[in-house]
């Protein structure tokens, strides 16, 4: 490469010039760093790291500054003589490229490779505004480039540098092959999109982190503090506690069973083909998978944290799941690198445990417990491996041969096929919509073992299986009519999120012709069954003709209604006709022989399982029914 013309070199800046350049061009520098940083970091960490790199671009002293710009780096667009901007841009570019270099044991990590100490935002996740389809396509294309290729794109598109200037800046930044990076940067036809708000880390949206997990942590901390106080008081009693320990071993005695449970060499590993012949089709038939399944150090850390998690470990458990140590050697399901974390999945016959630690650094470990007793091929089809920036990765069961992503709100669209990795890991897919924003709801269709099962992420380690059909005759959601039903009730799923849900079944229990010839309404019942078995939730929904989404008419928690034990349901709503007349509408399942309503100025009855009676607006009524065997039954509550 020809050396730059020294006659055009900008003068060496001092610290004040560099500081002025950072302040004046801060948004441009942060955008440059954000676009060059590797997309695998996730949008939240890229935002914070980009701000950190821009703020750390200030030199420590004049001597360091002068040496850095001796190579004659060109100034900013429209200001060729701004040596301060050229210098800080070079420092930001170097740091962003260093951040994309993988950590190894052969060299000490550079500062840019570590998570930023500052800035930090607690309790929030920050990311730029979402753009359109073109910005999404550009972001996905940038993810396929290496760091030097992204840097060449940004220098050309944002800085307006010519090809020779881009080559010179990349060379100064330490890129081994600048020409290859420029060739990789592609066609400049879409350069205008780099100025989109999609890539502006100074204009941000904020969303909370896992609120339920934070609440559980606070409660767990209070409970642990109370337990510690009680233990301290007991130890202060004469004799050191409640009294004689009897046959119990002395404190800190060696326990052979506990030591075996913490020994990675004792971990159980199912044979790769066991699931083909095993009489059990639960997690016990899963083989050990992942690129770190043989890492004894990682497995030892995972088992030790499971047995006695430290104060810095984030621990969560689905309702009704014990979070204590293993009773003996557990079974290894997975150990490997997933996005920016190292994940270990273990199974002890009752629970699946997920241990995660960052790829770089020793802080930030997490431990998640999920109850899985009674699992079968239907409910052991997948586990959640990671959630990063609104995306989720699953580990599919070994019998799964195909996967596809389906938007439940678009039943007429064909599912998008997903390519499974050889170890059963899915690509990252968008998580279902958060509460209050239901423009899409993604489910995963997994094919294998002679069936196609539909699952969805409800914020836990075990995804929930979705089914259709009357209680006791549930079936997988595959038919067009069943998919249409789910498109109308999927947005009610946030009400059962993070409740340890195993399956959610939806079925149409009645069709009702509406008064005044206003069409036919549909009554549905949705039942979410939990792994605990005592906190199941049922909802009755009313779907008016022409309405895309169902409205909740009644709900119950801990009731057997709408399930195999009590396969009946009754609910009612106040409904307004097109002419403006209000009615009390009610419908029950096929077990109801007659319905009656009273109170609030309303009185009426009807034979059969449907009722429609005129009522004043806002009427509060009592609804009941008589079953075909002559007994009475009330509404779902």
């Amino acid at each position: 490469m020809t050396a730059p013309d020294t006659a055009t070199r900008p003068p060496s800046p001092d610290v004040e010039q560099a500081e002025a350049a950072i302040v004046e061009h801060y948004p441009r520098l942060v955008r440059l760093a954000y676009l060059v940083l590797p997309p695998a970091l996730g949008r939240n960490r890229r935002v914070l790291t980009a701000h950190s790199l821009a703020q750390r671009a200030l030199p420590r002293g004049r001597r360091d500054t002068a040496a850095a710009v001796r190579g004659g780096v060109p100034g900013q667009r429209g200001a060729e003589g701004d040596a301060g901007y050229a210098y800080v841009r070079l420092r930001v570019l170097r740091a962003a490229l260093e951040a994309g270099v993988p950590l190894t044991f052969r060299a000490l990590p550079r500062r840019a490779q570590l998570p930023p100490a500052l800035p930090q935002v607690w309790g929030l996740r920050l990311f730029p505004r979402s753009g359109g389809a073109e910005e999404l396509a550009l972001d996905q294309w940038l993810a396929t480039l290496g760091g030097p290729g992204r840097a060449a794109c940004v220098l050309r598109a944002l800085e307006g540098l010519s090809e020779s200037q881009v080559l010179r800046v990349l060379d100064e930044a330490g890129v081994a092959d600048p020409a290859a990076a420029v060739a990789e940067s592609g066609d400049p036809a879409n350069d205008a999109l780099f100025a989109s708000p999609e890539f502006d880390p100074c204009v941000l949206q904020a969303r909370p982190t896992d609120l339920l997990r934070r609440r559980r942590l606070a409660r767990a901390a209070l409970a642990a503090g109370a337990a510690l106080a009680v233990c301290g008081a007991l130890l202060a009693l004469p004799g050191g506690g409640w009294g004689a320990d009897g046959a119990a071993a002395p404190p800190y005695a060696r326990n052979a069973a506990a030591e075996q449970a913490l020994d990675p060499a004792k971990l159980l590993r199912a044979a790769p083909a066991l699931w083909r012949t095993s009489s059990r089709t639960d997690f016990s038939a899963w083989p050990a998978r992942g690129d770190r399944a043989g890492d004894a150090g990682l497995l030892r850390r995972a088992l030790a944290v499971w047995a006695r998690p430290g104060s810095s470990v984030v621990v969560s458990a689905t309702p009704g799941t014990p979070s204590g140590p293993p009773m003996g050697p557990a079974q290894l399901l997975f150990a490997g690198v997933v996005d920016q974390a190292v994940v270990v999945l273990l199974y002890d016959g009752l629970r699946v445990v997920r241990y995660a630690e960052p790829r770089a650094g020793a802080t930030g470990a997490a431990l998640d417990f999920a109850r899985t007793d009674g699992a079968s091929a239907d409910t052991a089809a997948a586990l959640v491996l990671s959630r990063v920036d609104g995306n989720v990765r699953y580990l599919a069961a070994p019998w799964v041969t195909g996967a596809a992503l389906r938007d439940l709100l678009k039943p007429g669209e064909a599912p998008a096929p997903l390519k499974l990795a050889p170890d059963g890991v899915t690509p990252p897919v968008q998580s279902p919509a958060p509460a209050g924003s239901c423009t899409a709801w993604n489910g995963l269709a997994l094919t294998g073992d002679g069936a196609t099962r539909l699952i969805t992420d409800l914020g836990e380690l075990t995804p929930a299986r979705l089914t259709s059909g009357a209680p006791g005759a549930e079936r997988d959601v595959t038919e067009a009519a069943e998919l249409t039903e789910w498109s109308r009730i999927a947005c009610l799923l946030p009400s059962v999120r993070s409740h340890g849900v195993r399956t959610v079944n939806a079925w149409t229990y009645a069709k009702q012709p509406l008064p005044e010839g206003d069409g036919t309404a549909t009554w549905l019942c949705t039942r979410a069954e939990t792994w605990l078995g005592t906190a199941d939730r049922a909802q009755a929904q009313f779907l008016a003709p022409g309405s895309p989404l169902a409205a909740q008419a009644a709900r119950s928690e801990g009731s057997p209604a709408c399930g195999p034990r009590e396969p009946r349901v009754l609910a009612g709503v106040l409904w307004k006709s097109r002419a403006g007349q209000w009615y009390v509408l009610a419908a029950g399942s096929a077990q109801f022989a007659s319905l009656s309503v009273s109170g609030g100025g309303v009185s009426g009855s009807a034979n059969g399982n449907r009722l429609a009676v005129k009522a004043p607006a806002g009427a509060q009524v009592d609804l009941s029914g008589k079953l075909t065997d002559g007994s009475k039954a009330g509404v779902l509550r």
Side-chain angles (χ1 to χ4, degrees):
M1 180 180 296
T2 304
D5 185 3
T6 57
T8 62
R9 292 175 182 170
S12 301
D14 56 17
V15 177
E16 289 77 11
Q17 276 185 283
E19 181 186 19
I22 292 175
V23 173
E24 181 179 358
H25 304 289
Y26 185 78
R28 181 187 293 274
L29 293 169
V30 176
R31 187 189 289 257
L32 183 149
Y34 179 82
L35 286 166
V36 175
L37 285 169
L41 291 177
R43 290 191 295 172
N44 181 73
R45 183 171 168 187
R46 283 169 70 196
V47 166
L48 298 179
T49 303
H51 283 274
S52 175
L53 297 183
Q55 294 169 19
R56 295 207 308 255
L58 189 67
R60 291 190 176 89
R62 298 174 186 266
R63 182 179 303 174
D64 180 52
T65 304
V69 297
R70 198 166 291 137
V73 181
Q76 68 160 335
R77 178 173 48 191
E80 284 298 327
D82 190 347
Y85 176 76
Y87 170 67
V88 296
R89 179 181 63 190
L90 179 61
R91 285 178 62 93
V92 169
L93 185 62
R94 281 176 177 168
L97 289 171
E98 288 177 355
V101 177
L103 290 169
T104 65
F105 292 104
R106 299 178 180 179
L108 292 175
R110 301 177 183 178
R111 186 179 182 185
Q113 293 175 281
L114 301 175
L118 290 174
Q120 289 289 345
V121 180
W122 299 99
L124 291 176
R125 299 195 66 81
L126 303 177
F127 48 89
R129 294 176 179 176
S130 298
E134 293 180 338
E135 287 86 348
L136 178 60
L138 176 60
D139 191 42
Q140 292 174 340
W141 177 72
L142 285 174
T144 65
L145 304 182
R150 290 192 299 272
C153 287
V154 175
L155 290 173
R156 182 191 67 222
L158 288 182
E159 298 297 297
L161 303 185
S162 65
E163 181 174 336
S164 62
Q165 290 174 319
V166 171
L167 289 170
R168 187 164 50 187
V169 174
L170 291 178
D171 182 58
E172 289 293 326
V175 174
D177 191 349
V182 171
E184 186 186 18
S185 65
D187 185 8
N190 294 326
D191 282 359
L193 292 175
F194 283 84
S196 168
E198 168 89 8
F199 309 114
D200 188 355
C202 290
V203 181
L204 301 172
Q205 299 183 84
R207 292 292 184 271
T209 53
D210 194 328
L211 301 177
L212 291 176
R213 174 178 287 183
R214 283 160 52 187
R215 178 181 294 178
R216 286 195 292 265
L217 284 175
R219 291 176 177 172
L222 288 175
L228 235 101
V230 171
C231 290
L234 291 175
L235 291 173
L237 292 174
W242 296 101
D245 290 333
Y252 311 109
R254 297 175 65 88
N255 186 299
E259 287 182 356
Q260 286 185 0
L262 298 178
D263 184 356
K266 301 289 186 181
L267 282 174
L268 305 177
R269 299 169 186 255
L274 176 65
W275 60 272
R276 299 179 184 274
T277 57
S278 174
S279 59
R280 295 181 58 175
T281 51
D282 58 4
F283 298 105
S284 65
W286 283 31
R289 290 174 286 176
D291 57 357
R292 301 284 291 275
D295 189 336
L298 169 65
L299 300 179
R300 183 179 298 280
R301 289 195 300 277
L303 291 170
V305 172
W306 181 1
R308 47 183 193 282
S311 58
S312 64
V313 179
V314 179
V315 181
S316 70
T318 58
T321 304
S323 57
M327 296 177 289
Q331 179 180 340
L332 177 64
L333 303 181
F334 179 88
V337 176
V338 183
D339 297 322
Q340 292 303 305
V342 183
V343 178
V344 179
L345 291 179
L346 301 164
Y347 174 66
D348 68 352
L350 173 67
R351 305 163 293 178
V352 168
V353 181
R354 175 184 179 271
Y355 168 79
E357 65 181 25
R359 293 178 65 177
T363 60
L367 195 65
D368 302 309
F369 294 86
R371 186 169 177 173
T372 57
D373 52 319
S376 63
D378 292 328
T379 50
L383 291 170
V384 170
L385 272 181
S386 72
R387 294 186 185 88
V388 178
D389 291 337
N391 292 324
V392 59
R393 283 186 191 267
Y394 299 88
L395 175 66
W399 51 82
V400 171
T401 57
L405 185 67
R406 177 182 288 281
D407 186 351
L408 297 185
L409 301 189
K410 300 175 181 177
E413 291 188 2
L418 297 175
K419 184 177 181 181
L420 294 173
D423 56 3
V425 178
T426 70
V429 298
Q430 187 177 5
S431 297
S437 172
C438 193
T439 57
W441 192 282
N442 286 332
L444 204 64
L446 299 178
T447 301
D449 196 32
T452 297
R453 302 173 178 91
L454 186 62
I455 63 172
T456 191
D457 177 25
L458 291 181
E460 296 174 316
L461 183 55
T462 52
R465 179 194 178 205
L466 306 182
T467 60
S468 292
E474 297 89 347
R475 57 186 178 274
D476 290 308
V477 183
T478 55
E479 301 296 332
E482 298 164 348
L483 291 169
T484 301
E485 282 184 358
W486 268 106
S487 70
R488 295 166 175 172
I489 60 177
C491 288
L492 298 177
L493 283 172
S495 63
V496 296
R497 182 179 264 151
S498 299
H499 285 83
V501 174
R502 178 176 58 181
T503 61
V504 185
N505 183 61
W507 60 293
T508 298
Y509 68 86
K511 295 273 190 178
Q512 182 174 24
L514 295 176
E516 304 179 17
D518 282 359
T520 301
T522 301
W523 292 85
L524 304 106
C525 189
T526 304
R527 181 176 177 83
E529 294 193 347
T530 62
W531 291 96
L532 183 60
T534 58
D536 299 350
R537 298 185 172 207
Q539 296 182 18
Q541 290 114 6
F542 173 78
L543 181 62
S547 175
L549 301 177
Q552 181 175 283
R555 61 179 295 176
S556 172
E557 182 174 351
S559 166
C562 197
R565 282 182 170 270
E566 193 175 290
R568 66 171 186 266
V569 60
L570 171 63
V573 294
L574 272 174
W575 172 80
K576 188 178 182 180
S577 70
R578 296 194 190 112
Q581 175 63 51
W582 286 93
Y583 289 85
V584 171
L585 301 180
S589 51
Q591 295 86 354
F592 284 86
S594 63
L595 305 178
S596 61
V597 62
S598 61
V602 180
S603 178
S605 61
N607 291 326
N609 63 335
R610 296 168 299 188
L611 175 144
V613 179
K614 289 184 178 180
Q620 300 290 325
V621 301
D622 293 323
L623 178 65
S624 62
K626 183 178 290 186
L627 302 177
T628 53
D629 62 4
S631 60
K632 291 185 177 181
V635 296
L636 180 70
R637 62 164 52 95

